[in-house]
Structures are given as C-alpha cells and as structure tokens.
Amino acid sequence: MLTARQFILLGMLASVACLGYFWMLDRILFSSAFFAPIFRFLLIGYDAQTAWLSVAVCFLAVAWKGTASILYLIDWTARKPVWIAAASTVAIALASTFVYHDYPFSMDEYAAFFQAKIFAAGQLTARLPASVVDWLVWPHFNGMFLVASRTTGQAVESYWPGFALLLAPFEFLGAPWLCNPLLAGMAVYLVYRITLDITGDKRAAGWAMLFTLASSTFLANAISYYSMQAHLTANLLFAWLLLTPTSKRALAAGLVGSLALLLNNPFPHTLFALPWLAAMAAEKTQRRYLPAVMLGYLPGISLGFAWLWLRMNIVATDHGLLARSSGWFTAFTLPGPVLLDMRAASVAKMWIWAIPCLFLLALLGYTRYRAHRAVRLLGQSAALTFIGYLFVGFDQGHGWGYRYFHSAWGTIPVLAACAMAGASAPQPRLISFVGAASVLSLVVLVPFQMNQIDRIISQHLAQIPRPQGPGNTVYFLRPYGGFYLGDMIQIDPLLRDRNLLLASRGPDLDAALIRENWPDAIMKGHGRWGQEWYLGDSDQRRSTNGPDGGKHFLLGFEPIR
C-alpha cells in the first residue's frame, strides 16, 4: 500500500510525465500526423498550456501543510449535498450561456440540437424544401451528422434520438441550454449518493463532490450540447439503482438503460452496463432481478430499431445519400500505431482535464475497496469503456478532455473518494495534498480552461460578420474558407431563425438562389469565408398554418436549363 509520501511523489512524476508527452509529441515516439485538425489544434495549442499549469498546481499543493481548513470545507460540502448540487446547476447554466455562448459548437452537438427542434415542434422529421437541401445541409455532412433527402426534403439527425428527446422539452420552453446543467446537478448528487452508499462515510461523499466539481472535463461537457453529460448521468443512475437492487429498482435501471442506449449510439452504455449485467447473471442472489432489467431495456431497443428504420427510409429516397451513409460497424478497427498514438493523446487529455492525480487516487481507492462488489463493477465499467474505444478508429475530433471516456468518467470521483474514506483513513499529508490540489484546480485550472473554451468559440464565431438588422441576412459559407467553417452551417429545421447560414455552392448558383427568392437583396460583404446578403429592412419570413404559428422562410430553386 502506498504511503502518502509515495503517492505524492508518484503523482508529481505522473504530472511531469504528462508534460513530457507534449514535448515528445512529433519529436520522439509520439506523432500527431494523422490526427483530425481540430483534435490536433486543441491538443497542441491549448492542452499543452494546461499541462504546464497542472504541474504547477501539483508543486503548489505539496507546499500546503494544514488539514483543518481542507476538512472543514469537505465536511461543510458533505452536510449540504442537495444545496451543492442545486448551486452547481445554476453556476453551470450561467456558464453554458456566457462561456459556451449557448451554441452547438461541433456537428455532434448540432445534430441533436437540430433534432430536438423537430421534436419540440411535434414532428418526427423536418420537411426542408427539397430543391435547396444542398444549401441547407452541407453535402459533406449529409449522411454523417444529418440525413436529408434531396428528393423528399425529409431530414433527421444521423445519430440515435435519445439526447434530442431529452433536449426537446427544454427547446419547447426556449431554454435548451438548461438541459445539460440540470443533468450535471443530478450527477453531482449521484456521485455523493453512490459514494455514501459504498463507504458509509459522509466525508468521503463530500470528497467525491469536490473531485467532480473541481475537474474541468465534468464542467466543460456540462455546459456544452454534447450528449456525454447525459451518458455520464444515466450511467451513474443505472449503477446507483443496482447497488442494492429490488424488482422495482431493477426495472427502473433497465428503463434508464433504455434511454442511455438511445442517447447518441448504444456503444457507451453497453460498455458501462456489461459488467453489471454479467455479475447479476452470475450471482444467484442477484439473478432473479435480471428479467426486470431486461424488461426495462425493451422500450429503448424497440425505439432504436424503429429509428433506424425511419432513417433508412429517408436514405433510400436519395441514391447519393445512400452511397455516403456507411454502416455503423465501419467505426471499429483493430488498434495499430496510429490509433495507439490517438489514445496516448487521450490519456494525456484525461489527466490534465481532471484534478491532478485524480486517476491515481481512483486507482488507490479501487485497491483499498476492491472487496466491495460495487467498487469492482465501477472499476470494470471504467476499464471496459477505455478498452472498448481502443477499437474505435477515430481520435474524437472536437471535444473537451477525452469525451469517448466521459460516459464512465463519473466512476472516477467515486473511486477516488474511496481512497479518502472510513477505516482506511488517509494520512494527514495525503489529505493536505489532495485537498490543496482540488481547491487549486477549482480556482486555477477550471477558470483557465473555461477561458480557453470561451476564446475558442468566440474566435470561431467571429469568422463571419455579425448580421445586420432589422431585416434578414443570408450567409453563403465556404466550408473550407476558414477554420471548421463548415460547422457553422447550421439551420433551424423549420427555417424559423431570422438569418440563414447556408453552404455555398459557388458564386453563380448562390446569386441565382438569391435572385429567385429575394430579388431586392443586396450583397453586403464577401471574403474567403463566403458572402453576406442583406434581404432588406422588412422581415422576409412568412406566417404559415403550421402547428407553431410562427414565421418561416419559404424558399426554393428552379435550376437554370
């Protein structure tokens, strides 16, 4: 068993080794040559900066000697779990607006955002004007993130619809930015509850909440429109329900699993749930609850197949779309040098987007509590999630931290808190180091990385001019005319937004579309990014008899023969 001094030394060496990774990258052993441009940009341009700061936090934490103030903070946190979860929700909701700009930054986020608007309008699919689909949905992304037929105009997200279903009521209320913060607040309480149920130690549960809230990856995904926060919360709820199963809790766990399977694809929850289901099947005392869990999964599985059927019906109407829509299993591959390079980068990102030494502390907690069934299963879920993505041939592209692991990340603060609990009470030196590292992470690393996110998104949005008023503006964006400018080609599926951001099909076709639909429009700006057209001082959207009673763009295009 590690002593406090040995743990601190090992943690500092690991932080320095993480920093060393960034020095070796593209020099010795590791290469980023085959990374997606955005993954490489975030890794080298921003994560490398954080690695230095993470090492500094470790060295500052070593200098902290007292435990009284640390334990006071932990005990105060442990006494008010509901208040801490509620306050966290409010703070995260504010950050989602002011840091993340209430904006689906990547196509993964936009796909669910797009579908949630469709569901909120009481529809299953969008009905876009078929003749202008290639302007409304960039063809390169059609079949990858969205599926939109040029024949019928029907459009849906390419992913499974669970997260869009969660977003839809918030979109209906005009507050989609609130969905993930509420899920995050729920996750904070679940981390507390699971830790308390495992250890019986309120102080350990307080540590778990601090570890969660002081880790930037948790907060970053919580303020985003990524489905990963929903995965994390659903998996924690699934695990908590099965800690002490009854028939009702087992059925509820299956229903939660149903939703988790649908969130964007079934792989993350499948990896997390397999150890729990296997253990339930293997243990005589638990086996009787397995039918209830399986019954709970039936709605999700049924809805998943129904969604695939709907999606394939849309794809089948468009031969070009059918050719681009690849099978789901093409994502899987055997790990080779390139993929291992990607996962090495992912490990570095996992380390610096959490409290320094948190993963090492989780390993220590697992070692101390491995006799506890739930601890073993949480550890297995985390390990299987990481191993499973060794066979997925993508580096993840966009994302904060290593988002492919995020569905199981909620296990880490729980396991780390086990190292601080009960009969295995840590030495005072370990308390001071871990507490100081956590507080410094909360007040130094988290604001630093939140500022990075704000800067990245602000610079991204600043690539095109701000729209003029009081009328409407139409942008024709050249996807390769800026940094990931194609990700800015985002529309409301019912064409209700005041301005349109369209994919350029070339100056001649773009001008023809404008002349046909808005003959009085004036070009206000142009550049490498594309063109900006002002449609005039009056609103060019038209009222329709649709269910929402709002104004929509009505447009079409007749090709010149």
Side-chain angles (χ1 to χ4, degrees):
M1 198 69 66
L2 289 175
T3 66
R5 182 176 180 181
Q6 289 170 334
F7 176 88
I8 293 169
L9 180 60
L10 187 58
M12 293 175 68
L13 288 173
S15 292
V16 172
C18 181
L19 182 60
Y21 164 82
F22 289 95
W23 181 85
M24 289 187 290
L25 185 62
D26 296 323
R27 289 189 180 96
I28 303 170
L29 191 58
F30 302 106
S31 171
S32 67
F34 297 98
F35 293 179
I38 186 64
F39 186 82
R40 189 175 191 275
F41 171 75
L42 294 174
L43 181 73
I44 296 174
Y46 290 89
D47 293 338
Q49 299 173 11
T50 309
W52 284 97
L53 197 57
S54 183
V55 170
V57 163
C58 268
F59 278 87
L60 288 172
V62 172
W64 187 266
K65 301 299 182 184
T67 62
S69 58
I70 296 294
L71 292 178
Y72 177 83
L73 172 64
I74 299 302
D75 290 341
W76 181 85
T77 301
R79 288 195 301 269
K80 303 178 182 294
V82 175
W83 284 104
I84 295 294
S88 302
T89 301
V90 173
I92 293 168
L94 290 172
S96 71
T97 302
F98 295 106
V99 175
Y100 217 82
H101 299 258
D102 184 22
Y103 179 69
F105 179 48
S106 73
M107 284 292 104
D108 285 316
E109 297 169 274
Y110 166 61
F113 191 70
F114 178 90
Q115 188 64 46
K117 288 177 177 288
I118 299 172
F119 288 151
Q123 301 178 27
L124 279 177
T125 70
R127 292 281 184 174
L128 304 175
S131 60
V132 297
V133 160
D134 282 346
W135 274 289
L136 298 172
V137 180
W138 183 28
H140 180 70
F141 286 160
N142 195 356
M144 186 185 305
F145 299 106
L146 301 181
V147 173
S149 171
R150 297 183 188 85
T151 305
T152 65
Q154 278 188 295
V156 295
E157 69 166 318
S158 183
Y159 298 118
W160 291 37
F163 186 53
L165 286 169
L166 283 179
L167 268 177
F170 296 93
E171 173 60 36
F172 181 79
L173 296 172
W177 46 268
L178 187 55
C179 178
N180 267 346
L182 281 173
L183 290 171
M186 185 177 177
V188 170
Y189 183 77
L190 283 169
V191 163
Y192 170 88
R193 187 74 250 176
I194 292 170
T195 307
L196 183 61
D197 287 354
I198 289 173
T199 65
D201 185 342
K202 280 194 172 184
R203 178 175 284 176
W207 278 109
M209 283 197 293
L210 178 61
F211 294 155
T212 303
L213 291 170
S215 293
S216 298
T217 189
F218 176 80
L219 298 172
N221 283 280
I223 66 176
S224 75
Y225 280 104
Y226 280 113
S227 64
M228 306 320 297
Q229 179 59 58
H231 275 292
L232 185 152
T233 302
N235 284 342
L236 283 174
L237 181 56
F238 175 86
W240 178 69
L241 288 167
L242 293 182
L243 285 183
T244 52
T246 62
S247 294
K248 289 182 180 179
R249 286 171 70 101
L251 177 62
L255 291 171
V256 171
S258 264
L259 175 62
L261 286 177
L262 291 172
L263 283 172
N264 71 322
N265 74 71
F267 193 53
H269 178 69
T270 300
L271 293 174
F272 187 93
L274 273 176
W276 297 82
L277 300 179
M280 185 172 283
E283 299 170 16
K284 289 184 179 180
T285 58
Q286 299 278 319
R287 199 174 296 157
R288 66 182 184 274
Y289 301 119
L290 194 58
V293 178
M294 293 297 102
L295 181 63
Y297 272 113
L298 283 180
I301 294 170
S302 302
L303 185 55
F305 280 110
W307 183 258
L308 292 177
W309 177 83
L310 172 66
R311 181 179 178 276
M312 287 309 301
N313 277 347
I314 296 173
V315 168
T317 65
D318 187 325
H319 292 298
L321 188 57
L322 186 62
R324 284 196 307 277
S325 296
S326 57
W328 190 65
F329 287 101
T330 58
F332 295 99
T333 184
L334 291 175
V338 172
L339 187 50
L340 293 176
D341 260 337
M342 293 174 182
R343 295 301 169 255
S346 300
V347 170
K349 289 172 78 72
M350 287 167 67
W351 186 271
I352 64 172
W353 278 84
I355 295 168
C357 306
L358 183 65
F359 285 91
L360 188 60
L361 195 64
L363 182 60
L364 180 61
Y366 178 84
T367 303
R368 287 180 172 176
Y369 266 78
R370 64 181 178 273
H372 196 292
R373 175 180 181 272
V375 167
R376 291 197 307 274
L377 292 175
L378 289 171
Q380 290 166 19
S381 291
L384 187 58
T385 298
F386 184 84
I387 293 168
Y389 276 97
L390 288 175
F391 297 88
V392 174
F394 307 121
D395 58 23
Q396 86 169 21
H398 286 268
W400 318 109
Y402 179 35
R403 65 181 171 90
Y404 287 172
F405 180 74
H406 202 70
S407 56
W409 190 89
T411 64
I412 303 304
V414 174
L415 295 176
C418 288
M420 312 298 287
S424 300
Q427 302 171 49
R429 190 71 193 90
L430 184 61
I431 292 174
S432 63
F433 174 76
V434 171
S438 301
V439 172
L440 286 169
S441 181
L442 183 62
V443 300
V444 177
L445 286 176
V446 167
F448 181 77
Q449 289 176 290
M450 293 300 108
N451 180 65
Q452 287 181 332
I453 293 172
D454 173 51
R455 195 167 4 130
I456 291 163
I457 296 178
S458 296
Q459 291 171 352
H460 180 72
L461 294 173
Q463 291 183 97
I464 64 173
R466 298 178 71 87
Q468 300 186 39
N472 317 99
T473 299
V474 175
Y475 296 92
F476 293 101
L477 302 181
R478 297 176 61 239
Y480 300 110
F483 191 70
Y484 278 80
L485 203 59
D487 286 28
M488 292 186 70
I489 301 169
Q490 300 184 8
I491 59 162
D492 176 90
L494 277 67
L495 303 181
R496 296 167 296 189
D497 288 344
R498 177 170 289 276
N499 306 302
L500 287 174
L501 289 93
L502 308 179
S504 174
R505 297 179 62 190
D508 293 340
L509 280 175
D510 296 345
L513 178 71
I514 288 288
R515 285 194 302 270
E516 183 168 334
N517 291 278
W518 307 286
D520 297 327
I522 301 170
M523 186 192 294
K524 284 290 186 178
H526 63 88
R528 184 170 175 265
W529 51 269
Q531 295 180 348
E532 173 193 11
W533 291 79
Y534 185 57
L535 305 188
D537 293 341
S538 60
D539 192 346
Q540 297 297 310
R541 294 171 298 171
R542 298 290 179 263
S543 297
T544 66
N545 295 323
D548 64 343
K551 291 184 175 182
H552 308 254
F553 277 111
L554 303 176
L555 68 159
F557 182 67
E558 185 68 31
I560 300 172
R561 300 187 186 281

